Amino acid sequence: MQFGLSETQQTLKNTTRQFLAAECPSSEVRRLIETDSAFDSALWKKMADQGWMGILIPEEYGGFGMGMVEMAAVLEEMGRALLPGPYLSTVLLAGSAIQHAGSEAQKQQYLGAICRGEAKATLAFLEESACWSPERVRMHAYAHNGGYVLSGSKRFVPDAAVADFVVCAARLDGELALFIVPSSASGMAARPTPALDGTRKLYELMFDAAAVPEGALLAKGDRAVAALEHAFAVSTVGLVAEMVGGMQRLLEIAVEYAKTRKQFGRPIGQFQAVQHMCADMLVWSESSRSAAYFAAWAMSENTPEAATAVSVAKAYASDSYREVGNRAIQVHGGMGFTWENDVHLYYRRAKGSEIAFGDATWHRERIAKLVVDRSDLLVR
Amino acid sequence: MTNMDLNLTPDERQFRDEVRAWLQANVPKDWESRRATEDMKDRFAFLREWQKKVFQAGWAGIAWPKEFGGRGASLMQQVIFTEEMARATAPPLANVLGLMLIGPTIVNYGTDAQKKRYLANILSADEIWCQGFSEPNAGSDLAGIRTDAHLDGDHYVVNGQKVWTSYGWAADWCALLTRSDPTSAKHHGLTYILVDMKSPGVEVRALRQMTGETEFNELFFRDVRVPIENVLGKVGEGWGVAMGTLMHERATLGAGIQITFKRQFDRLTELSHIIERNGRPAAEDPVIRQKLAQSYIDIEIMRLNQMRSVTRMSQSGVPGPEGSIQKIFWSELNQRFQQVASELLGPYAQLTSGGAIDDGQWAYNYLRSRGNTIEAGTSEIQRNIVGHFVLGLPKSY
Ligand SMILES: Cc1cc2nc3c(=O)[nH]c(=O)nc-3n(C[C@H](O)[C@H](O)[C@H](O)COP(=O)(O)OP(=O)(O)OC[C@H]3O[C@@H](n4cnc5c(N)ncnc54)[C@H](O)[C@@H]3O)c2cc1C
């Protein structure tokens, strides 16, 4: 048993950190937050040159076919740097759905474009009900003229305005279906819905009889549900890794401040009330890290406990990132409440991340289904 | 380092299967109900016999050197064994302090003669150990101990008092932290001595704990003569030796406990389908479901943190101050978990016998978990250690 990064994985993580320190410092994060889409094409191009777009995509489609653990290592660094923009939406959400369910032609076309850095994408799932269960998808699709027509509205869609195509969940003949809708489709419009986290912009996507060709259907029925679950699981692990990176950074910022800020003639870090807040931050961030990498490994090995592992990681990290943020602000005193201090940027990201793909309560219920409602206990 | 792989290696798997088969054939049945029905001393004698059997089968001291009675195997194998023990609901080994804390300290600091003298007897449970660190006026501030040891010829003469000494009543030997230089301050001038509990002048008094048991004791030492060769490590450098013991305590105590928690969780889950709450099985109550799931998360995170720390320890060889993270985590987790159990069991949670669920085990667990954030260094002290030694914050004292 070996539960730690290998040398190659560690090197990948280190180079990611160096790249982001140079290309996406906090000044750049702040600049991008103020833009409409938090997207920078020059940065995107450089990220593609690093090979990040194809991290999970098999070589035959232009990617590098690395594993979930490598993905998590890279995402941890992205979360640490608060990298803005549509990386997670493109590579993890849309990319995994297409990789899981796409036809050969769809994979060649869309995954190839993602790997080359030519396409940004996202996945539209939630609706007004704001429920993460596939059964709650109501948006209507029907076959028409050899293609399909989509009507309805999607909420909380990340990065929709810069996406070149959207993987969209809808109901076709009563079954769940996934469509690949190009941004050029007539009848589809994005409306910004500004949210707390400015690094990951959210939109409402409106479909007014948007027509797509026959080849736009990605999957239907059980295959669509499986593809969606896969995309969410991959994205959740990636997101949790990001959250770990964010917690790590918050801990470092708070400890650094505690060592330098003086009150009562001594560094505030000498007061136990402050030390204990920092100690708790360490416990939460290290524990979240254990959970994140275990989930990544369990998914890459397809172990039976993978589903539980993903929910354990997301539930734990959702509560932890918020609490780490609370402590980080508290340690900073009034300074922590200013716009100028970076801590609130993480605090905002923590809230967005907590909500995305189901909050702690949602994942705890999922765990209860997996470990409390066990059939061997029910049959008696 | 190889790629991350949380599966057991083929060797580890084979080892696990061997352990599993042996335990299946040898674990005594229905021993668990003994807590409720049996005298503590009888129960201890039973656990001692059980450890002897484990030792004779070659399973005691798995990571200890072969020449001193151990198996000379890896830390990972030690962890596997501990986990399998818990999984098989095997009785615990009687000499827990000797095995977990004092033995490893002797392995690190002992002379060859000392290793030969003590280690095998720890493994076979022929000699039971206790840890005499805390004193009435020196608990968290351990370096403030005053138990005096002064040299008289080729003996140290020990005078003083220890308190909260677990298993003092059962112990043949005591790992005693003393002040050998009365003029010294705090961390200097301390000496770690191994004291035969049968020496004249050693008195063991019962100290009843809040669970009602008398698991720990007060120890009194009056002119107790201890041969000089019983000093472990160097005279005056006992603080470093004691820290070695405490780091082992924090780092290793968790392995078996995690599986015990998991087993308790599985049992609680089972009970949740039987116990009613508002007219339906507790398992269907959304609030209980949330709490059970949170307990599952906590117990699982504890396991994962442990696997990371075993990996780290296997590479570096010694436990580090991160052990404090583990200690904080498992002790506070158990208190939360026992509260969840209590809520789930409702009025039954308080019964200690007479129709109590699981022989009153849950009521006992509830009280016993309260000691977890105090024993082996309080949660506050662990957070200080994390602040001072892991995060590098300026010392508060
Ligand atoms: C079940 C059990 C078994 C035990 N077994 C053993 C044993 O086998 N051998 C042995 O030697 N000891 C044993 N102990 C003793 C244990 O190690 C001590 O109780 C513990 O270290 C605390 O010391 P104290 O009781 O003197 O409390 P104190 O040190 O007086 O602490 C009281 C309170 O003050 C807080 N406090 C103290 N100092 C600080 C500080 N610097 N910063 C912040 N807060 C502080 C503590 O956290 C605590 O909340 C056992 C205790 C228990 C409960």
Side-chain angles (χ1 to χ4, degrees), chain A residues 1-6 259 270 272 275-276 280 286-287 290 293-294 297 361 364-365 372-373 378, chain B residues 1-6 12 273 289-290 293-294 303 305 308 311 383-384 388 391-392 394-397:
Chain A
M1 188 213 70
Q2 201 287 103
F3 191 3
L5 295 181
S6 69
K259 285 177 182 169
Q270 200 169 347
Q272 284 188 3
Q275 290 182 350
H276 291 191
D280 283 335
E286 285 302 324
S287 299
S290 303
Y293 283 93
F294 178 68
W297 177 82
T361 307
R364 279 192 293 261
E365 174 53 30
V372 179
D373 301 343
L378 291 172
Chain B
M1 212 197 306
T2 53
N3 265 338
M4 183 154 123
D5 187 357
L6 290 125
E12 288 165 350
H273 291 275
R289 290 170 72 76
Q290 285 286 314
Q294 186 60 47
R303 178 177 77 90
N305 282 345
R308 272 178 73 207
T311 298
R383 285 185 168 80
N384 294 344
H388 298 169
L391 298 175
K395 294 193 179 170
S396 59
Y397 50 90

CSV table of all heavy atoms in Angstrom, one decimal, chain A residues 1-6 259 270 272 275-276 280 286-287 290 293-294 297 361 364-365 372-373 378, chain B residues 1-6 12 273 289-290 293-294 303 305 308 311 383-384 388 391-392 394-397:
chain,number,residue,atom,x,y,z
A,1,MET,N,0.8,-1.2,0.0
A,1,MET,CA,0.0,0.0,0.0
A,1,MET,C,0.9,1.2,0.0
A,1,MET,O,1.9,1.3,0.7
A,1,MET,CB,-0.9,0.0,1.2
A,1,MET,CG,-1.9,1.1,1.2
A,1,MET,SD,-2.3,1.7,2.8
A,1,MET,CE,-0.8,2.6,3.3
A,2,GLN,N,0.5,2.2,-0.8
A,2,GLN,CA,1.3,3.4,-0.9
A,2,GLN,C,0.3,4.6,-1.1
A,2,GLN,O,-0.3,4.7,-2.2
A,2,GLN,CB,2.3,3.3,-2.1
A,2,GLN,CG,3.5,4.2,-2.0
A,2,GLN,CD,3.1,5.7,-2.3
A,2,GLN,OE1,3.0,6.5,-1.4
A,2,GLN,NE2,3.0,6.0,-3.6
A,3,PHE,N,0.1,5.4,-0.1
A,3,PHE,CA,-0.9,6.5,-0.2
A,3,PHE,C,-0.2,7.8,-0.2
A,3,PHE,O,-0.1,8.5,0.8
A,3,PHE,CB,-1.9,6.4,0.9
A,3,PHE,CG,-3.1,7.3,0.8
A,3,PHE,CD1,-3.3,8.1,-0.3
A,3,PHE,CD2,-4.1,7.3,1.8
A,3,PHE,CE1,-4.4,8.9,-0.5
A,3,PHE,CE2,-5.2,8.1,1.6
A,3,PHE,CZ,-5.4,8.9,0.5
A,4,GLY,N,0.4,8.1,-1.3
A,4,GLY,CA,1.1,9.4,-1.4
A,4,GLY,C,1.4,9.6,-2.9
A,4,GLY,O,1.3,8.6,-3.7
A,5,LEU,N,1.7,10.8,-3.4
A,5,LEU,CA,2.0,11.0,-4.8
A,5,LEU,C,3.3,10.4,-5.1
A,5,LEU,O,4.2,10.4,-4.3
A,5,LEU,CB,2.0,12.5,-5.1
A,5,LEU,CG,0.7,13.2,-4.9
A,5,LEU,CD1,0.9,14.7,-5.3
A,5,LEU,CD2,-0.4,12.6,-5.8
A,6,SER,N,3.4,9.8,-6.3
A,6,SER,CA,4.7,9.3,-6.8
A,6,SER,C,5.6,10.5,-7.2
A,6,SER,O,5.1,11.6,-7.3
A,6,SER,CB,4.5,8.4,-8.0
A,6,SER,OG,4.0,9.2,-9.1
A,259,LYS,N,1.9,35.2,12.2
A,259,LYS,CA,3.3,35.3,12.6
A,259,LYS,C,3.8,36.8,12.5
A,259,LYS,O,4.7,37.1,13.2
A,259,LYS,CB,4.2,34.5,11.7
A,259,LYS,CG,4.1,33.0,11.9
A,259,LYS,CD,5.0,32.2,10.9
A,259,LYS,CE,4.9,30.7,11.2
A,259,LYS,NZ,5.5,29.9,10.1
A,270,GLN,N,0.9,33.9,18.7
A,270,GLN,CA,1.4,33.4,20.0
A,270,GLN,C,0.2,33.1,20.9
A,270,GLN,O,0.3,32.4,21.9
A,270,GLN,CB,2.4,34.4,20.6
A,270,GLN,CG,3.2,33.7,21.7
A,270,GLN,CD,4.4,34.7,22.1
A,270,GLN,OE1,4.7,35.7,21.4
A,270,GLN,NE2,5.1,34.3,23.2
A,272,GLN,N,-3.1,31.4,22.0
A,272,GLN,CA,-3.6,30.0,21.7
A,272,GLN,C,-4.9,30.1,21.0
A,272,GLN,O,-5.2,29.2,20.1
A,272,GLN,CB,-3.8,29.2,23.0
A,272,GLN,CG,-2.4,28.7,23.5
A,272,GLN,CD,-2.6,27.8,24.7
A,272,GLN,OE1,-3.7,27.4,25.0
A,272,GLN,NE2,-1.5,27.4,25.2
A,275,GLN,N,-3.8,30.2,17.6
A,275,GLN,CA,-3.1,28.9,17.2
A,275,GLN,C,-4.1,27.8,17.0
A,275,GLN,O,-4.0,27.0,16.0
A,275,GLN,CB,-2.2,28.5,18.3
A,275,GLN,CG,-1.0,29.4,18.5
A,275,GLN,CD,0.0,28.9,19.6
A,275,GLN,OE1,-0.3,28.0,20.3
A,275,GLN,NE2,1.2,29.5,19.6
A,276,HIS,N,-5.1,27.7,17.8
A,276,HIS,CA,-6.0,26.6,17.7
A,276,HIS,C,-6.9,26.7,16.5
A,276,HIS,O,-7.3,25.7,15.9
A,276,HIS,CB,-6.9,26.5,19.0
A,276,HIS,CG,-6.0,26.0,20.2
A,276,HIS,ND1,-6.6,25.6,21.4
A,276,HIS,CD2,-4.7,25.9,20.3
A,276,HIS,CE1,-5.6,25.3,22.2
A,276,HIS,NE2,-4.5,25.4,21.6
A,280,ASP,N,-7.0,23.8,13.7
A,280,ASP,CA,-8.2,23.3,13.1
A,280,ASP,C,-8.2,23.4,11.6
A,280,ASP,O,-8.6,22.4,10.8
A,280,ASP,CB,-9.4,24.0,13.6
A,280,ASP,CG,-9.8,23.5,15.0
A,280,ASP,OD1,-9.4,22.4,15.4
A,280,ASP,OD2,-10.4,24.3,15.8
A,286,GLU,N,-6.0,18.8,5.7
A,286,GLU,CA,-5.3,17.5,5.5
A,286,GLU,C,-6.3,16.4,5.4
A,286,GLU,O,-6.1,15.5,4.6
A,286,GLU,CB,-4.3,17.2,6.7
A,286,GLU,CG,-3.0,18.1,6.6
A,286,GLU,CD,-2.2,17.8,5.3
A,286,GLU,OE1,-2.2,16.7,4.8
A,286,GLU,OE2,-1.7,18.8,4.8
A,287,SER,N,-7.4,16.5,6.2
A,287,SER,CA,-8.4,15.4,6.1
A,287,SER,C,-9.1,15.5,4.7
A,287,SER,O,-9.4,14.4,4.2
A,287,SER,CB,-9.4,15.6,7.2
A,287,SER,OG,-8.7,15.4,8.5
A,290,SER,N,-6.8,13.8,2.2
A,290,SER,CA,-6.9,12.4,2.2
A,290,SER,C,-8.1,11.9,1.5
A,290,SER,O,-8.1,11.0,0.7
A,290,SER,CB,-7.0,11.9,3.7
A,290,SER,OG,-5.9,12.3,4.4
A,293,TYR,N,-7.9,12.5,-2.5
A,293,TYR,CA,-7.0,11.6,-3.3
A,293,TYR,C,-7.5,10.2,-3.2
A,293,TYR,O,-7.3,9.4,-4.2
A,293,TYR,CB,-5.5,11.8,-2.9
A,293,TYR,CG,-4.9,13.0,-3.5
A,293,TYR,CD1,-4.9,14.2,-2.8
A,293,TYR,CD2,-4.4,13.0,-4.8
A,293,TYR,CE1,-4.4,15.4,-3.3
A,293,TYR,CE2,-3.9,14.2,-5.3
A,293,TYR,CZ,-3.9,15.4,-4.6
A,293,TYR,OH,-3.4,16.5,-5.2
A,294,PHE,N,-8.1,9.8,-2.1
A,294,PHE,CA,-8.7,8.5,-2.1
A,294,PHE,C,-9.8,8.4,-3.1
A,294,PHE,O,-9.9,7.4,-3.8
A,294,PHE,CB,-9.2,8.2,-0.7
A,294,PHE,CG,-9.8,6.8,-0.6
A,294,PHE,CD1,-9.1,5.7,-0.7
A,294,PHE,CD2,-11.2,6.6,-0.5
A,294,PHE,CE1,-9.6,4.4,-0.7
A,294,PHE,CE2,-11.8,5.4,-0.4
A,294,PHE,CZ,-11.0,4.2,-0.6
A,297,TRP,N,-8.3,8.0,-6.5
A,297,TRP,CA,-7.8,6.7,-6.7
A,297,TRP,C,-8.9,5.7,-6.9
A,297,TRP,O,-8.8,4.8,-7.8
A,297,TRP,CB,-6.9,6.3,-5.5
A,297,TRP,CG,-6.3,4.9,-5.7
A,297,TRP,CD1,-5.2,4.5,-6.4
A,297,TRP,CD2,-6.9,3.7,-5.1
A,297,TRP,NE1,-5.1,3.2,-6.3
A,297,TRP,CE2,-6.1,2.7,-5.5
A,297,TRP,CE3,-8.0,3.5,-4.2
A,297,TRP,CZ2,-6.3,1.4,-5.1
A,297,TRP,CZ3,-8.2,2.2,-3.8
A,297,TRP,CH2,-7.4,1.1,-4.3
A,361,THR,N,-25.1,18.2,2.8
A,361,THR,CA,-26.4,17.6,3.1
A,361,THR,C,-26.8,16.6,2.0
A,361,THR,O,-27.2,15.5,2.3
A,361,THR,CB,-27.5,18.6,3.4
A,361,THR,OG1,-27.0,19.6,4.3
A,361,THR,CG2,-28.8,18.0,3.9
A,364,ARG,N,-24.5,13.6,2.1
A,364,ARG,CA,-24.8,12.8,3.2
A,364,ARG,C,-26.0,11.9,3.0
A,364,ARG,O,-26.0,10.7,3.3
A,364,ARG,CB,-24.9,13.6,4.5
A,364,ARG,CG,-23.6,14.0,5.1
A,364,ARG,CD,-23.8,14.6,6.5
A,364,ARG,NE,-24.5,15.8,6.5
A,364,ARG,CZ,-24.0,17.0,6.6
A,364,ARG,NH1,-22.6,17.1,6.7
A,364,ARG,NH2,-24.7,18.1,6.5
A,365,GLU,N,-27.0,12.4,2.4
A,365,GLU,CA,-28.2,11.6,2.1
A,365,GLU,C,-27.8,10.5,1.1
A,365,GLU,O,-28.2,9.3,1.2
A,365,GLU,CB,-29.3,12.4,1.5
A,365,GLU,CG,-30.5,11.7,1.0
A,365,GLU,CD,-31.1,10.7,2.0
A,365,GLU,OE1,-31.0,10.9,3.3
A,365,GLU,OE2,-31.7,9.6,1.6
A,372,VAL,N,-26.6,3.0,4.8
A,372,VAL,CA,-27.6,2.7,5.8
A,372,VAL,C,-28.7,1.8,5.1
A,372,VAL,O,-29.1,0.8,5.8
A,372,VAL,CB,-28.3,4.0,6.3
A,372,VAL,CG1,-29.4,3.6,7.3
A,372,VAL,CG2,-27.2,4.9,7.0
A,373,ASP,N,-29.1,2.1,3.9
A,373,ASP,CA,-30.1,1.3,3.3
A,373,ASP,C,-29.6,0.0,2.6
A,373,ASP,O,-30.0,-0.3,1.5
A,373,ASP,CB,-30.8,2.1,2.2
A,373,ASP,CG,-31.4,3.4,2.7
A,373,ASP,OD1,-31.6,3.5,4.0
A,373,ASP,OD2,-31.7,4.3,2.0
A,378,LEU,N,-31.9,-4.6,5.3
A,378,LEU,CA,-33.3,-4.4,5.1
A,378,LEU,C,-34.1,-5.7,5.1
A,378,LEU,O,-35.2,-5.8,5.6
A,378,LEU,CB,-33.6,-3.6,3.8
A,378,LEU,CG,-33.1,-2.2,3.8
A,378,LEU,CD1,-33.2,-1.5,2.5
A,378,LEU,CD2,-33.9,-1.4,4.9
B,1,MET,N,9.6,6.6,-5.3
B,1,MET,CA,8.4,6.1,-4.8
B,1,MET,C,7.5,5.6,-5.9
B,1,MET,O,7.4,6.2,-7.0
B,1,MET,CB,7.7,7.2,-4.0
B,1,MET,CG,6.8,6.8,-2.9
B,1,MET,SD,5.7,8.0,-2.4
B,1,MET,CE,6.7,9.4,-2.1
B,2,THR,N,6.8,4.5,-5.7
B,2,THR,CA,5.9,3.9,-6.7
B,2,THR,C,4.7,4.8,-6.8
B,2,THR,O,4.4,5.7,-6.0
B,2,THR,CB,5.5,2.5,-6.3
B,2,THR,OG1,5.0,2.6,-5.0
B,2,THR,CG2,6.7,1.6,-6.3
B,3,ASN,N,3.9,4.4,-7.8
B,3,ASN,CA,2.6,5.1,-7.9
B,3,ASN,C,1.7,4.9,-6.7
B,3,ASN,O,1.8,3.8,-6.1
B,3,ASN,CB,1.9,4.6,-9.2
B,3,ASN,CG,2.2,5.5,-10.4
B,3,ASN,OD1,2.5,6.7,-10.2
B,3,ASN,ND2,2.0,5.0,-11.6
B,4,MET,N,0.8,5.9,-6.5
B,4,MET,CA,-0.2,5.7,-5.5
B,4,MET,C,-1.0,4.5,-5.7
B,4,MET,O,-1.5,4.2,-6.8
B,4,MET,CB,-1.1,6.9,-5.5
B,4,MET,CG,-2.0,7.0,-4.4
B,4,MET,SD,-2.4,8.7,-4.1
B,4,MET,CE,-4.2,8.6,-4.3
B,5,ASP,N,-1.1,3.6,-4.7
B,5,ASP,CA,-1.8,2.4,-4.8
B,5,ASP,C,-2.3,2.0,-3.4
B,5,ASP,O,-1.5,1.6,-2.6
B,5,ASP,CB,-1.0,1.3,-5.4
B,5,ASP,CG,-1.8,0.1,-5.7
B,5,ASP,OD1,-3.0,0.1,-5.4
B,5,ASP,OD2,-1.2,-0.9,-6.3
B,6,LEU,N,-3.6,2.1,-3.2
B,6,LEU,CA,-4.2,1.8,-1.9
B,6,LEU,C,-4.5,0.3,-1.7
B,6,LEU,O,-5.0,-0.1,-0.7
B,6,LEU,CB,-5.3,2.7,-1.6
B,6,LEU,CG,-4.8,4.1,-1.4
B,6,LEU,CD1,-5.4,5.1,-2.3
B,6,LEU,CD2,-4.8,4.5,0.0
B,12,GLU,N,1.3,-8.4,1.1
B,12,GLU,CA,0.5,-7.9,2.1
B,12,GLU,C,-0.9,-8.7,2.2
B,12,GLU,O,-1.4,-9.0,3.2
B,12,GLU,CB,0.2,-6.4,2.0
B,12,GLU,CG,1.4,-5.5,2.3
B,12,GLU,CD,1.3,-4.1,1.8
B,12,GLU,OE1,0.4,-3.7,1.1
B,12,GLU,OE2,2.2,-3.3,2.2
B,273,HIS,N,-32.4,0.1,11.9
B,273,HIS,CA,-33.5,-0.5,11.2
B,273,HIS,C,-34.5,-1.2,12.2
B,273,HIS,O,-35.6,-1.6,11.8
B,273,HIS,CB,-33.0,-1.6,10.2
B,273,HIS,CG,-32.3,-1.0,9.1
B,273,HIS,ND1,-32.9,-0.5,8.0
B,273,HIS,CD2,-31.0,-0.7,8.9
B,273,HIS,CE1,-32.0,0.0,7.1
B,273,HIS,NE2,-30.8,-0.1,7.7
B,289,ARG,N,-30.5,10.0,9.5
B,289,ARG,CA,-29.7,9.6,8.3
B,289,ARG,C,-28.5,10.5,8.1
B,289,ARG,O,-27.4,10.1,7.8
B,289,ARG,CB,-30.6,9.6,7.0
B,289,ARG,CG,-31.7,8.5,7.0
B,289,ARG,CD,-32.7,8.7,5.9
B,289,ARG,NE,-32.1,8.4,4.6
B,289,ARG,CZ,-31.9,7.2,4.1
B,289,ARG,NH1,-32.2,6.1,4.8
B,289,ARG,NH2,-31.4,7.0,2.9
B,290,GLN,N,-28.8,11.8,8.3
B,290,GLN,CA,-27.7,12.8,8.1
B,290,GLN,C,-26.6,12.5,9.1
B,290,GLN,O,-25.4,12.6,8.8
B,290,GLN,CB,-28.3,14.2,8.3
B,290,GLN,CG,-29.1,14.8,7.2
B,290,GLN,CD,-28.2,15.1,6.0
B,290,GLN,OE1,-27.1,15.8,6.1
B,290,GLN,NE2,-28.5,14.7,4.8
B,293,ALA,N,-24.7,9.3,8.4
B,293,ALA,CA,-23.8,9.6,7.3
B,293,ALA,C,-22.6,10.4,7.7
B,293,ALA,O,-21.4,10.1,7.3
B,293,ALA,CB,-24.5,10.3,6.1
B,294,GLN,N,-22.8,11.4,8.6
B,294,GLN,CA,-21.6,12.2,9.0
B,294,GLN,C,-20.7,11.3,9.8
B,294,GLN,O,-19.5,11.5,9.7
B,294,GLN,CB,-22.1,13.4,9.8
B,294,GLN,CG,-21.0,14.3,10.2
B,294,GLN,CD,-20.3,14.9,9.0
B,294,GLN,OE1,-20.9,15.4,8.0
B,294,GLN,NE2,-18.9,14.9,9.0
B,303,ARG,N,-9.7,6.7,8.7
B,303,ARG,CA,-9.0,5.6,8.1
B,303,ARG,C,-8.0,6.1,7.0
B,303,ARG,O,-6.8,5.7,7.0
B,303,ARG,CB,-10.0,4.6,7.4
B,303,ARG,CG,-9.4,3.5,6.7
B,303,ARG,CD,-10.4,2.6,6.1
B,303,ARG,NE,-11.1,3.1,4.9
B,303,ARG,CZ,-10.6,2.8,3.7
B,303,ARG,NH1,-9.6,2.1,3.5
B,303,ARG,NH2,-11.2,3.3,2.7
B,305,ASN,N,-6.7,9.2,6.7
B,305,ASN,CA,-5.6,10.0,7.3
B,305,ASN,C,-4.6,9.0,7.8
B,305,ASN,O,-3.3,9.2,7.7
B,305,ASN,CB,-6.1,10.8,8.5
B,305,ASN,CG,-6.8,12.1,8.0
B,305,ASN,OD1,-6.7,12.5,6.9
B,305,ASN,ND2,-7.5,12.7,8.9
B,308,ARG,N,-2.4,7.5,5.1
B,308,ARG,CA,-1.4,8.5,4.7
B,308,ARG,C,-0.3,8.5,5.7
B,308,ARG,O,0.9,8.6,5.3
B,308,ARG,CB,-2.0,9.9,4.5
B,308,ARG,CG,-2.6,10.1,3.1
B,308,ARG,CD,-3.2,11.4,3.0
B,308,ARG,NE,-2.2,12.5,2.9
B,308,ARG,CZ,-2.5,13.8,3.3
B,308,ARG,NH1,-3.7,14.1,3.8
B,308,ARG,NH2,-1.6,14.7,3.3
B,311,THR,N,2.0,5.5,5.4
B,311,THR,CA,2.9,5.6,4.3
B,311,THR,C,4.1,6.5,4.7
B,311,THR,O,5.2,6.2,4.4
B,311,THR,CB,2.1,6.2,3.1
B,311,THR,OG1,1.1,5.4,2.7
B,311,THR,CG2,3.0,6.5,1.9
B,383,ARG,N,-3.4,20.8,20.0
B,383,ARG,CA,-3.5,21.9,19.1
B,383,ARG,C,-2.3,22.8,19.3
B,383,ARG,O,-1.8,23.5,18.3
B,383,ARG,CB,-4.8,22.7,19.3
B,383,ARG,CG,-6.0,21.9,18.7
B,383,ARG,CD,-7.3,22.7,18.8
B,383,ARG,NE,-8.4,22.1,17.9
B,383,ARG,CZ,-9.1,21.1,18.3
B,383,ARG,NH1,-8.9,20.5,19.5
B,383,ARG,NH2,-10.0,20.6,17.5
B,384,ASN,N,-1.8,22.9,20.5
B,384,ASN,CA,-0.6,23.7,20.8
B,384,ASN,C,0.5,23.1,20.0
B,384,ASN,O,1.3,23.8,19.4
B,384,ASN,CB,-0.3,23.7,22.2
B,384,ASN,CG,-1.3,24.5,23.1
B,384,ASN,OD1,-2.1,25.2,22.6
B,384,ASN,ND2,-1.2,24.3,24.4
B,388,HIS,N,2.7,25.0,17.3
B,388,HIS,CA,4.1,25.2,17.6
B,388,HIS,C,5.0,24.5,16.6
B,388,HIS,O,6.0,25.0,16.0
B,388,HIS,CB,4.5,24.8,19.0
B,388,HIS,CG,3.8,25.6,20.0
B,388,HIS,ND1,3.9,25.3,21.4
B,388,HIS,CD2,3.0,26.7,20.0
B,388,HIS,CE1,3.1,26.2,22.1
B,388,HIS,NE2,2.6,27.0,21.2
B,391,LEU,N,3.0,24.1,12.4
B,391,LEU,CA,2.8,25.3,11.7
B,391,LEU,C,3.8,26.4,12.0
B,391,LEU,O,3.9,27.4,11.3
B,391,LEU,CB,1.4,25.9,12.0
B,391,LEU,CG,0.2,25.0,11.6
B,391,LEU,CD1,-1.1,25.5,12.1
B,391,LEU,CD2,0.2,24.7,10.1
B,392,GLY,N,4.7,26.1,13.0
B,392,GLY,CA,5.8,27.0,13.2
B,392,GLY,C,5.3,28.4,13.8
B,392,GLY,O,6.0,29.4,13.7
B,394,PRO,N,4.8,31.0,16.9
B,394,PRO,CA,5.6,31.3,18.1
B,394,PRO,C,5.0,30.6,19.3
B,394,PRO,O,3.7,30.5,19.5
B,394,PRO,CB,5.6,32.8,18.3
B,394,PRO,CG,4.5,33.3,17.4
B,394,PRO,CD,4.3,32.3,16.3
B,395,LYS,N,5.8,30.0,20.2
B,395,LYS,CA,5.3,29.3,21.3
B,395,LYS,C,4.6,30.2,22.3
B,395,LYS,O,5.0,31.3,22.6
B,395,LYS,CB,6.5,28.6,22.1
B,395,LYS,CG,7.1,27.6,21.2
B,395,LYS,CD,8.1,26.7,21.9
B,395,LYS,CE,8.6,25.6,21.0
B,395,LYS,NZ,9.7,24.9,21.6
B,396,SER,N,3.5,29.6,22.8
B,396,SER,CA,2.7,30.4,23.7
B,396,SER,C,3.1,30.2,25.2
B,396,SER,O,2.7,30.9,26.1
B,396,SER,CB,1.2,30.0,23.6
B,396,SER,OG,1.0,28.6,23.9
B,397,TYR,N,4.0,29.3,25.4
B,397,TYR,CA,4.5,29.1,26.8
B,397,TYR,C,5.9,28.4,26.7
B,397,TYR,O,6.2,27.9,25.6
B,397,TYR,CB,3.6,28.3,27.7
B,397,TYR,CG,3.1,27.0,27.0
B,397,TYR,CD1,3.7,25.8,27.2
B,397,TYR,CD2,1.9,27.0,26.2
B,397,TYR,CE1,3.3,24.7,26.6
B,397,TYR,CE2,1.4,25.9,25.7
B,397,TYR,CZ,2.1,24.7,25.9
B,397,TYR,OH,1.7,23.5,25.3
